[in-house]
Amino acid sequence: MTSYLTHLECALCGKTYEADRLQRMCADCARPLLARYDLSAVRSLGRGAAVTSEPTMWRYRALLPVRDREAEVGLGEGFTPLLHARRLGAELGLSHLYIKDESLNPTGSFKARGLAVAISRACELGVREVVIPSAGNAAGAMAAYAARAGLRAHVYMPTDAPAPFRLECEALGAEVTLVEGLITDCGREARQAAEAHGWFDLSTLKEPYRLEGKKTMGYELAEQFGWGLPDVIIYPTGGGTGIIGMWKAFGELGELGWIGDRRPRMVTVQSAGCAPIVRAFHARGAFAAPWEGAETVAAGLRVPSAVGDFLILRTLRESDGTAVAVSDEALVEAQLRIARLEGVFACPEGGATLAALEVLLAQGWISPEERIVLFNTGTGLKYPGVGRET
Ligand SMILES: *Cc1c(COP(=O)(O)O)cnc(C)c1O
């Protein structure tokens, strides 16, 4: 099985770009490029032939952008368990509550999916040195895949990122530069360094392929639900690559004829200390204004301004979804409840999905018979101190 990638297309203006050379964002409007595939060819091939039996996300290789199998840099990412959360569900009066447990990925988070694809593809197109701004999990994942591919890796990380993230990057051989400030400040420094040294910048949605890795969460959910989909997906949203990627996957799956017309309602949850998407959603904005003074223990949610803001907001509206902000206390309390009731030591971001579920149940926005998926995006092990005080 090989990739059916055809070209890239700007998510805002629709301008197309050749896929087999290095591309970053749209030259005209500086917005993300989306990978497009020959879906009718894959449709004629049929699902049985197109999806392999490998227990990783590479089973969907026909719908991924890496051309040469030799170029795939893998550590066993994806195909994570969809756990039926029976005890947690019983406590909330729900019989169809599930946790998609992304903490089982290499380096302990779903960032592995995006960076496995982005590094593989960058390597395939001749990149030798990469850089990323990250407050945590993306940096660790990039460092791991860069090490495996033999690329030199540079990380720009806020000084106040939890220590395990920095230690992990250093252990994996990346050069770490600590930046006084937020992820957006790291982004600026990474961009300047990339320009100065000719490094390839792997910032999320500023190159087309991390999104492709993350969309495999959508393919997996469909497959794990017997080529169906749940009613509601609650997703802790930072840059939004995961929620945008899953929505892209559902569109592709529909065109492939592998699923019917029904789509889940997509829910963004953010911390009340940094909730630009929630604010923009309820103000009916098409874009989100930057959040001032972003502050939350959920490092993956501390994204004051996302390049893909309009794509997140579009996903929430097209899916008839919503957006919820929860306090840090609520998300940490929920993190511990997932741990105690389901045996999953979730990250604080994962905890936020349970806190949001409770808000939506109380509002009557979700009804008890619905099939609900909470995304635990990473392991709780990398946040020393968080939750220990409660
Ligand atoms: C990066 C990250 C998020 C946010 O993911 P996006 O897809 O960028 O919105 C959520 N949780 C964890 C643990 C993360 O590392």
Side-chain angles (χ1 to χ4, degrees):
M1 190 47 53
T2 53
S3 171
Y4 281 76
L5 178 69
T6 53
H7 63 281
L8 302 172
E9 185 184 305
C10 174
L12 192 63
C13 74
K15 182 171 175 174
T16 61
Y17 291 82
E18 192 194 316
D20 287 309
R21 37 185 294 215
L22 274 184
Q23 305 279 11
R24 302 203 55 247
M25 303 179 80
C26 179
D28 288 354
C29 59
R31 289 292 174 168
L33 298 181
L34 304 177
R36 298 299 184 201
Y37 300 81
D38 185 351
L39 296 177
S40 57
V42 181
R43 188 179 175 129
S44 336
L45 193 66
R47 191 171 70 210
V51 179
T52 76
S53 60
E54 289 152 85
T56 70
M57 65 175 201
W58 297 100
R59 63 203 279 110
Y60 311 109
R61 143 175 331 107
L63 290 317
L64 288 172
V66 184
R67 301 267 186 215
D68 179 3
R69 280 195 66 165
E70 296 291 303
E72 288 173 9
V73 185
L75 289 163
E77 47 287 330
F79 216 57
T80 55
L82 179 70
L83 305 170
H84 187 187
R86 286 192 188 81
R87 297 188 67 212
L88 193 54
E91 201 184 74
L92 298 168
L94 305 172
S95 40
H96 308 289
L97 179 63
Y98 299 86
I99 298 171
K100 179 72 169 158
D101 190 9
E102 291 292 303
S103 70
L104 274 80
N105 277 300
T107 68
S109 90
F110 71 153
K111 292 292 195 304
R113 296 179 186 262
L115 284 147
V117 172
I119 292 270
S120 298
R121 188 68 178 141
C123 247
E124 187 170 53
L125 297 175
V127 168
R128 302 305 310 155
E129 205 152 343
V130 287
V131 60
I132 203 166
S134 165
N137 282 313
M142 182 203 63
Y145 291 99
R148 191 147 164 90
L151 301 187
R152 289 182 59 103
H154 306 270
V155 170
Y156 286 77
M157 187 176 273
T159 40
D160 59 356
F165 290 114
R166 178 168 44 84
L167 298 175
E168 177 184 37
C169 291
E170 287 169 352
L172 290 162
E175 182 201 53
V176 180
T177 305
L178 295 177
V179 177
E180 204 61 64
L182 291 175
I183 183 69
T184 33
D185 302 298
C186 297
R188 193 181 51 247
E189 294 216 11
R191 190 160 61 245
Q192 285 163 358
E195 278 165 22
H197 306 291
W199 303 337
F200 191 67
D201 183 350
L202 289 166
S203 297
T204 198
L205 292 169
K206 294 192 177 174
E207 63 76 48
Y209 300 122
R210 281 176 64 180
L211 183 69
E212 294 306 290
K214 277 204 179 166
K215 88 178 176 188
T216 59
M217 296 189 293
Y219 278 84
E220 279 173 31
L221 273 187
E223 188 170 357
Q224 288 171 320
F225 276 107
W227 300 105
L229 289 172
D231 298 298
V232 177
I233 295 177
I234 307 184
Y235 184 85
T237 307
T241 322
I243 195 166
I244 299 166
M246 281 193 276
W247 195 244
K248 181 174 189 282
F250 300 152
E252 291 172 356
L253 284 162
E255 275 195 58
L256 289 164
W258 297 359
I259 58 170
D261 291 336
R262 228 180 34 79
R263 297 283 177 272
R265 309 199 304 283
M266 308 294 283
V267 179
T268 270
V269 53
Q270 298 193 304
S271 163
C274 181
I277 300 295
V278 179
R279 184 173 63 187
F281 178 80
H282 293 290
R284 299 191 168 73
F287 296 89
W291 190 271
E292 301 293 329
E295 187 68 65
T296 168
V297 294
L301 305 187
R302 206 164 62 145
V303 182
S305 164
V307 243
D309 55 357
F310 67 107
L311 294 173
I312 305 171
L313 291 163
R314 204 191 273 173
T315 299
L316 299 178
R317 297 201 175 102
E318 283 178 8
S319 73
D320 220 359
T322 191
V324 181
V326 297
S327 69
D328 269 22
E329 294 86 66
L331 66 86
V332 168
E333 188 279 324
Q335 170 193 15
L336 296 180
R337 213 137 29 94
I338 296 174
R340 286 172 192 158
L341 287 173
E342 296 296 344
V344 173
F345 185 18
C347 57
E349 294 85 342
T353 64
L354 172 59
L357 170 61
E358 295 185 284
V359 171
L360 294 171
L361 281 170
Q363 291 174 353
W365 194 88
I366 291 181
S367 44
E369 71 285 357
E370 293 193 287
R371 295 197 297 183
I372 303 150
V373 174
L374 306 180
F375 261 86
N376 177 39
T377 43
T379 171
L381 288 171
K382 294 193 199 177
Y383 305 73
V386 176
R388 308 296 195 282
E389 63 272 45
T390 44

PDB file of all heavy atoms in Angstrom, residues 270-273 325-332 355:
ATOM      1  N   GLN A 270     -11.284  24.261  27.052  1.00  0.00           N
ATOM      2  CA  GLN A 270     -10.058  24.998  27.383  1.00  0.00           C
ATOM      3  C   GLN A 270     -10.090  25.365  28.862  1.00  0.00           C
ATOM      4  O   GLN A 270     -11.132  25.268  29.513  1.00  0.00           O
ATOM      5  CB  GLN A 270      -9.955  26.272  26.518  1.00  0.00           C
ATOM      6  CG  GLN A 270      -9.863  25.953  25.024  1.00  0.00           C
ATOM      7  CD  GLN A 270      -9.461  27.151  24.180  1.00  0.00           C
ATOM      8  OE1 GLN A 270     -10.112  28.189  24.223  1.00  0.00           O
ATOM      9  NE2 GLN A 270      -8.381  27.018  23.407  1.00  0.00           N
ATOM     10  N   SER A 271      -8.949  25.782  29.373  1.00  0.00           N
ATOM     11  CA  SER A 271      -8.896  26.235  30.758  1.00  0.00           C
ATOM     12  C   SER A 271      -9.409  27.675  30.821  1.00  0.00           C
ATOM     13  O   SER A 271      -9.139  28.474  29.909  1.00  0.00           O
ATOM     14  CB  SER A 271      -7.457  26.187  31.268  1.00  0.00           C
ATOM     15  OG  SER A 271      -7.349  26.979  32.434  1.00  0.00           O
ATOM     16  N   ALA A 272     -10.108  28.010  31.896  1.00  0.00           N
ATOM     17  CA  ALA A 272     -10.603  29.382  32.055  1.00  0.00           C
ATOM     18  C   ALA A 272      -9.445  30.383  32.044  1.00  0.00           C
ATOM     19  O   ALA A 272      -9.632  31.561  31.741  1.00  0.00           O
ATOM     20  CB  ALA A 272     -11.397  29.503  33.352  1.00  0.00           C
ATOM     21  N   GLY A 273      -8.221  29.912  32.319  1.00  0.00           N
ATOM     22  CA  GLY A 273      -7.056  30.790  32.314  1.00  0.00           C
ATOM     23  C   GLY A 273      -6.491  31.053  30.928  1.00  0.00           C
ATOM     24  O   GLY A 273      -5.552  31.848  30.755  1.00  0.00           O
ATOM     25  N   ALA A 325     -15.237  26.387  28.881  1.00  0.00           N
ATOM     26  CA  ALA A 325     -14.037  26.663  29.679  1.00  0.00           C
ATOM     27  C   ALA A 325     -14.256  26.099  31.080  1.00  0.00           C
ATOM     28  O   ALA A 325     -15.354  26.218  31.628  1.00  0.00           O
ATOM     29  CB  ALA A 325     -13.781  28.159  29.746  1.00  0.00           C
ATOM     30  N   VAL A 326     -13.225  25.471  31.643  1.00  0.00           N
ATOM     31  CA  VAL A 326     -13.322  24.945  33.008  1.00  0.00           C
ATOM     32  C   VAL A 326     -12.140  25.474  33.823  1.00  0.00           C
ATOM     33  O   VAL A 326     -11.081  25.774  33.267  1.00  0.00           O
ATOM     34  CB  VAL A 326     -13.337  23.395  33.027  1.00  0.00           C
ATOM     35  CG1 VAL A 326     -14.562  22.859  32.293  1.00  0.00           C
ATOM     36  CG2 VAL A 326     -12.060  22.811  32.425  1.00  0.00           C
ATOM     37  N   SER A 327     -12.328  25.586  35.130  1.00  0.00           N
ATOM     38  CA  SER A 327     -11.251  26.130  35.954  1.00  0.00           C
ATOM     39  C   SER A 327     -10.132  25.094  36.119  1.00  0.00           C
ATOM     40  O   SER A 327     -10.349  23.892  35.945  1.00  0.00           O
ATOM     41  CB  SER A 327     -11.797  26.489  37.336  1.00  0.00           C
ATOM     42  OG  SER A 327     -12.128  25.294  38.030  1.00  0.00           O
ATOM     43  N   ASP A 328      -8.946  25.558  36.490  1.00  0.00           N
ATOM     44  CA  ASP A 328      -7.848  24.631  36.753  1.00  0.00           C
ATOM     45  C   ASP A 328      -8.197  23.672  37.894  1.00  0.00           C
ATOM     46  O   ASP A 328      -7.867  22.494  37.837  1.00  0.00           O
ATOM     47  CB  ASP A 328      -6.553  25.394  37.070  1.00  0.00           C
ATOM     48  CG  ASP A 328      -5.740  25.666  35.801  1.00  0.00           C
ATOM     49  OD1 ASP A 328      -6.321  25.661  34.704  1.00  0.00           O
ATOM     50  OD2 ASP A 328      -4.507  25.881  35.922  1.00  0.00           O
ATOM     51  N   GLU A 329      -8.894  24.183  38.933  1.00  0.00           N
ATOM     52  CA  GLU A 329      -9.270  23.282  40.053  1.00  0.00           C
ATOM     53  C   GLU A 329     -10.159  22.161  39.535  1.00  0.00           C
ATOM     54  O   GLU A 329      -9.969  20.998  39.886  1.00  0.00           O
ATOM     55  CB  GLU A 329     -10.058  24.008  41.157  1.00  0.00           C
ATOM     56  CG  GLU A 329      -9.304  25.084  41.932  1.00  0.00           C
ATOM     57  CD  GLU A 329      -9.352  26.428  41.231  1.00  0.00           C
ATOM     58  OE1 GLU A 329     -10.452  27.007  41.133  1.00  0.00           O
ATOM     59  OE2 GLU A 329      -8.290  26.896  40.759  1.00  0.00           O
ATOM     60  N   ALA A 330     -11.124  22.519  38.696  1.00  0.00           N
ATOM     61  CA  ALA A 330     -12.057  21.512  38.187  1.00  0.00           C
ATOM     62  C   ALA A 330     -11.335  20.498  37.320  1.00  0.00           C
ATOM     63  O   ALA A 330     -11.603  19.292  37.400  1.00  0.00           O
ATOM     64  CB  ALA A 330     -13.186  22.188  37.417  1.00  0.00           C
ATOM     65  N   LEU A 331     -10.405  20.929  36.501  1.00  0.00           N
ATOM     66  CA  LEU A 331      -9.763  19.966  35.597  1.00  0.00           C
ATOM     67  C   LEU A 331      -8.789  19.064  36.352  1.00  0.00           C
ATOM     68  O   LEU A 331      -8.661  17.870  36.025  1.00  0.00           O
ATOM     69  CB  LEU A 331      -9.144  20.649  34.368  1.00  0.00           C
ATOM     70  CG  LEU A 331      -7.961  21.609  34.473  1.00  0.00           C
ATOM     71  CD1 LEU A 331      -6.648  20.870  34.445  1.00  0.00           C
ATOM     72  CD2 LEU A 331      -8.004  22.608  33.323  1.00  0.00           C
ATOM     73  N   VAL A 332      -8.153  19.584  37.378  1.00  0.00           N
ATOM     74  CA  VAL A 332      -7.246  18.745  38.180  1.00  0.00           C
ATOM     75  C   VAL A 332      -8.053  17.734  39.004  1.00  0.00           C
ATOM     76  O   VAL A 332      -7.705  16.557  39.088  1.00  0.00           O
ATOM     77  CB  VAL A 332      -6.349  19.617  39.086  1.00  0.00           C
ATOM     78  CG1 VAL A 332      -5.621  18.759  40.117  1.00  0.00           C
ATOM     79  CG2 VAL A 332      -5.334  20.389  38.243  1.00  0.00           C
ATOM     80  N   ALA A 355     -14.341  17.385  33.166  1.00  0.00           N
ATOM     81  CA  ALA A 355     -14.938  18.583  33.775  1.00  0.00           C
ATOM     82  C   ALA A 355     -15.938  19.211  32.803  1.00  0.00           C
ATOM     83  O   ALA A 355     -17.024  19.629  33.196  1.00  0.00           O
ATOM     84  CB  ALA A 355     -13.843  19.572  34.164  1.00  0.00           C
TER      85      ALA A 355
END
